[in-house]
């Protein structure tokens, strides 16, 4: 391993330790990393955005005569008028264009992808498959129907329709809770994966363990120091 | 109050939970356990559909994740790229998140086939396309909205892009992402192209409605999915290496969840 590679490994591992140090307590090393990440992301975002703007919007306008590119440039510049109190109202044009185009593009695919196909996927046979498949299909149907009932607020609980919907909604709440539980559970496991990747780095890459030992020594020193002063 | 009492009463300090987690996760790396990795239906479906794509075809790979989620998305992306190149397919890489383009290069360097590939012929990296869903829609309608690739080359000069005008001109869509999935299906579904993806474990639940409705041809479920695909193509990588630690972490999380329930019940009783 060359010296430059060792330095990169030590730097990577040190940054990890500085980030993790928050688990022990709030400290200056963690703050440094926090600011470093924000600074890096801001710089990278500005650089990438400007490069794309120049390559794909400005250059075709100048060299290929793509005059229509003036329209997004104007709308983009209008967004910057928010910096002025007198002309901030002009930024609404840019926001309106963004919102309008975004909504229009999104709506185009909603019907097939998120409505008709989802309804078809719920309308399953209760008798065509084996016992487990049929049970699963019934579960999907009941789950969808009762979960939708939970969000039906049109009828009050004392109306005749409301009296039917209320118990259905209570069953739907169970399905919703099960779903949220699964989502939170998988979220926890997802976050755990970040730990796994770093642990792999520290335990398998040569010299990456050095900052970990230094961090542990610093924590031990701090614990002993605070006990002595107490 | 001893440690067990602290745990079951929910009084344990946070740092001890993390320290124990570090130890539990570190053990399999120091001494690998070789736990079995059974193949799931989602991964085998993806592998089967991938194998049905004719050799030499061009596919699109949307890299919609940044370095922040590399831990989960990286192994899936590497396994998918290896599987695609093993099948002798060409890849057009795109990304709709700002920090995605460098991930393409990082994944390619980790790919088994990196040294055998020629840029512009076997693959290209078109870089970041702004606008997210609007960008996806625009790119699907006209691939030529991207004039210059991530490395500064004119897209028209790339051999791989010959004859590619719209999304319909490619053979399949692959993606690894760290967001929700709705926009992909709104913009790209219904064009007759197989859609395969690598999904973070936190996103699997959000993908299920699309899997249930048959809109997904196959998907990798996080590290486990990556490990399964690595085994299927015979190129073990980070996925396989991390599976022992992943299993240990799952067990640890489950034990903590059960213990926390005891703690909460005790707290409830004490409050009553």
């Amino acid at each position: 391993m060359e010296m430059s590679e060792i330095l990169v490994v030590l730097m990577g591992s040190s940054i990890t330790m500085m980030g993790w140090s928050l688990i022990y307590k709030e400290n200056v090393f963690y703050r440094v990393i926090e600011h470093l990440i924000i600074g890096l992301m801001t710089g990278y975002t500005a650089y990438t955005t400007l490069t794309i703007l120049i390559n794909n919007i400005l250059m075709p306008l100048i060299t290929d005569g793509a005059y229509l590119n003036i329209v997004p440039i104007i709308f983009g510049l209008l967004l910057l008028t928010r910096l002025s109190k007198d002309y901030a109202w002009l930024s609404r044009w840019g926001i309106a264009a963004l919102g309008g185009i975004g909504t229009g593009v999104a709506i185009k695919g909603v019907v097939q992808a998120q409505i008709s196909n989802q309804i078809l996927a719920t309308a399953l046979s209760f008798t065509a498959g084996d016992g487990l498949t049929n049970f699963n299909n019934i579960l999907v149907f009941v789950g969808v129907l009762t979960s939708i009932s939970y969000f039906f607020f049109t009828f009050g609980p004392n109306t005749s329709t409301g009296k039917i919907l209320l118990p259905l909604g209570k069953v739907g709440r169970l399905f919703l809770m099960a779903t949220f539980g699964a989502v939170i559970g998988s979220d926890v496991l997802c976050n755990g994966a970040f730990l796994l990747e770093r642990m792999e780095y520290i335990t398998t890459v040569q010299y990456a363990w050095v900052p970990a030992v230094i961090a542990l020594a610093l924590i031990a020193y701090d614990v002993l120091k605070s006990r002595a002063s107490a | 109050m001893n440690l067990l009492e602290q745990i079951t009463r929910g009084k344990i300090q946070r740092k001890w939970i993390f320290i124990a987690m570090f130890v539990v996760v570190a053990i399999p790396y120091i001494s690998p356990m070789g736990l079995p990795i059974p193949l799931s239906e989602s991964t085998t479906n993806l592998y089967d559909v991938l194998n049905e794509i004719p050799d030499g075809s061009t596919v699109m790979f949307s890299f919609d994740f940044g370095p922040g989620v590399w831990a989960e998305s990286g192994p899936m992306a590497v396994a998918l790229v290896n599987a695609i190149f093993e099948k002798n397919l060409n890849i057009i890489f795109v990304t709709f998140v700002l920090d995605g383009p460098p991930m393409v290069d990082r994944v390619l360097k980790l790919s088994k086939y990196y040294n055998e590939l020629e840029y512009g012929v076997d693959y290209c990296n078109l870089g970041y396309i702004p606008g997210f869903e609007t960008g996806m829609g625009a790119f699907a309608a006209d691939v030529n909205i991207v004039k210059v690739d991530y490395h500064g080359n004119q897209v028209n000069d790339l051999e791989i892009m010959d004859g590619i005008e719209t999304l319909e001109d490619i053979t399949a869509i692959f993606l690894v992402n760290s967001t929700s999935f709705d926009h992909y299906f709104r913009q790209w579904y219904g064009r007759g192209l197989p859609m395969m993806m690598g999904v973070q474990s936190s996103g699997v639940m959000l993908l299920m409605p699309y899997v249930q409705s048959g809109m997904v041809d196959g998907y990798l479920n996080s590290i486990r999915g990556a490990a399964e695909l690595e085994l299927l193509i015979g190129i073990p990588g980070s996925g396989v290496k991390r599976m022992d630690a992943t299993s240990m972490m799952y067990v640890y999380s489950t034990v903590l969840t059960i213990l926390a329930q005891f703690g909460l019940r005790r707290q409830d009783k004490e409050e009553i």
Side-chain angles (χ1 to χ4, degrees):
Chain A
M1 210 177 209
E2 286 178 23
M3 188 46 107
S4 60
E5 286 174 307
I6 294 171
L7 281 175
V8 169
V9 168
L10 289 176
M11 207 184 286
S13 186
S14 301
I15 287 171
T16 304
M17 286 302 138
M18 287 159 88
W20 282 356
S21 64
L22 183 71
I23 293 167
Y24 174 59
K25 67 179 186 186
E26 177 76 41
N27 64 79
V28 67
F29 297 112
Y30 176 74
R31 286 280 174 87
V32 168
I33 289 305
E34 206 174 25
H35 289 85
L36 186 73
I37 287 170
I38 293 167
L40 273 173
M41 270 317 287
T42 310
Y44 175 77
T45 304
Y47 168 77
T48 310
T49 314
L50 284 172
T51 308
I52 285 160
L53 197 70
I54 291 164
N55 285 340
N56 291 309
I57 305 288
L58 276 179
M59 291 313 286
L61 172 70
I62 296 162
T63 56
D64 302 338
Y67 297 115
L68 266 178
N69 286 2
I70 291 173
V71 179
I73 290 172
I74 290 171
F75 278 125
L77 289 172
L78 285 177
L79 288 174
L80 297 175
T81 57
R82 287 197 76 82
L83 299 169
S84 153
K85 272 187 183 173
D86 294 336
Y87 298 103
W89 61 274
L90 282 168
S91 66
R92 288 178 200 158
W93 284 85
I95 293 167
L98 277 176
I101 294 167
T103 310
V105 168
I107 280 176
K108 193 186 79 175
V110 163
V111 176
Q112 188 186 12
Q114 291 183 285
I115 300 175
S116 61
N117 277 12
Q118 299 310 320
I119 292 170
L120 286 171
T122 313
L124 301 164
S125 168
F126 299 157
T127 52
D130 56 65
L132 206 62
T133 310
N134 292 340
F135 175 73
N136 197 33
N137 292 351
I138 293 168
L139 207 64
V140 168
F141 180 75
V142 173
V144 170
L145 200 73
T146 53
S147 299
I148 290 172
S149 303
Y150 181 75
F151 294 102
F152 228 111
F153 305 122
T154 312
F155 306 100
N158 296 325
T159 61
S160 55
T161 318
K163 279 175 186 166
I164 299 167
L165 286 174
L166 198 67
L168 284 177
K170 280 185 178 171
V171 177
R173 194 164 60 184
L174 294 175
F175 279 98
L176 289 171
M177 284 164 72
T179 309
F180 296 148
V183 170
I184 296 290
S186 51
D187 219 23
V188 170
L189 299 179
C190 178
N191 289 330
F194 303 145
L195 169 72
L196 294 180
E197 194 265 344
R198 287 291 85 191
M199 285 302 277
E200 184 186 328
Y201 185 77
I202 289 164
T203 52
T204 57
V205 177
Q206 215 178 352
Y207 301 114
W209 54 270
V210 176
V213 173
I214 294 171
L216 284 174
L218 283 173
I219 289 171
Y221 172 73
D222 192 61
V223 169
L224 291 173
K225 203 174 125 187
S226 43
R227 276 190 187 172
S229 60
Chain B
M1 199 184 290
N2 64 33
L3 189 63
L4 190 67
E5 266 185 338
Q6 281 182 35
I7 294 169
T8 51
R9 282 174 183 270
K11 305 278 184 198
I12 190 165
Q13 284 183 348
R14 196 175 56 159
K15 63 186 172 194
W16 295 116
I17 292 172
F18 285 111
I19 287 168
M21 185 182 258
F22 288 145
V23 174
V24 166
V25 167
I27 291 167
Y29 285 122
I30 296 161
S31 167
M33 302 153 89
L35 296 171
I37 306 169
L39 295 177
S40 62
E41 195 185 343
S42 57
T43 308
T44 45
N45 283 348
L46 182 144
Y47 186 65
D48 292 343
V49 174
L50 176 65
N51 278 325
E52 283 168 18
I53 300 172
D55 279 17
S57 305
T58 302
V59 301
M60 184 183 87
F61 202 141
S62 188
F63 259 54
D64 298 328
F65 67 94
V69 292
W70 171 264
E72 260 201 313
S73 302
M76 288 191 286
V78 175
L80 277 170
V81 164
N82 275 333
I84 294 168
F85 283 133
E86 193 196 46
K87 183 76 180 93
N88 200 21
L89 305 174
N90 305 318
I91 310 178
I92 298 170
F93 290 103
V94 290
T95 170
F96 296 90
V97 297
L98 202 62
D99 44 1
M103 295 298 102
V104 176
D105 289 349
R106 190 173 173 186
V107 165
L108 281 168
K109 279 175 190 162
L110 290 170
S111 160
K112 184 190 168 189
Y113 300 96
Y114 181 59
N115 293 324
E116 302 163 24
L117 303 169
E118 189 180 344
Y119 188 83
V121 179
D122 299 308
Y123 73 98
C124 70
N125 180 1
L126 297 188
Y128 168 61
I129 299 171
F132 205 54
E133 183 162 0
T134 317
M136 290 174 195
F139 183 76
D142 181 10
V143 170
N144 292 312
I145 57 162
V146 185
K147 305 289 180 200
V148 179
D149 72 2
Y150 179 59
H151 299 291
N153 305 302
Q154 290 295 317
V155 172
N156 287 338
D157 297 340
L158 302 174
E159 194 183 314
I160 190 175
M161 298 302 290
D162 288 349
I164 309 277
E165 298 293 329
T166 67
L167 205 63
E168 278 81 357
D169 296 324
I170 62 152
T171 317
I173 297 169
F174 291 85
L175 62 99
V176 174
N177 82 332
S178 57
T179 60
S180 67
F181 301 91
D182 303 339
H183 32 266
Y184 297 105
F185 293 102
R186 285 201 291 259
Q187 298 308 321
W188 296 343
Y189 182 72
R191 295 169 189 270
L193 300 172
M195 286 179 82
M196 288 159 274
M197 48 203 72
V199 189
Q200 284 186 281
S201 48
S202 60
V204 173
M205 291 297 293
L206 304 172
L207 185 70
M208 276 304 127
Y210 298 107
V211 175
Q212 181 84 12
S213 53
M215 295 162 76
V216 180
D217 293 273
Y219 67 94
L220 302 182
N221 182 353
S222 184
I223 303 285
R224 184 186 161 174
E228 290 170 14
L229 187 61
E230 285 169 8
L231 290 178
L232 278 170
I233 59 173
I235 308 172
S238 307
V240 171
K241 216 187 277 181
R242 278 183 215 163
M243 267 316 287
D244 281 350
T246 306
S247 303
M248 289 296 282
M249 198 194 63
Y250 286 3
V251 171
Y252 178 70
S253 304
T254 310
V255 169
L256 277 186
T257 309
I258 293 166
L259 288 175
Q261 292 306 313
F262 283 113
L264 282 172
R265 282 187 180 277
R266 270 200 175 178
Q267 267 183 355
D268 286 348
K269 277 183 187 170
E270 280 170 9
E271 279 170 19
I272 291 164

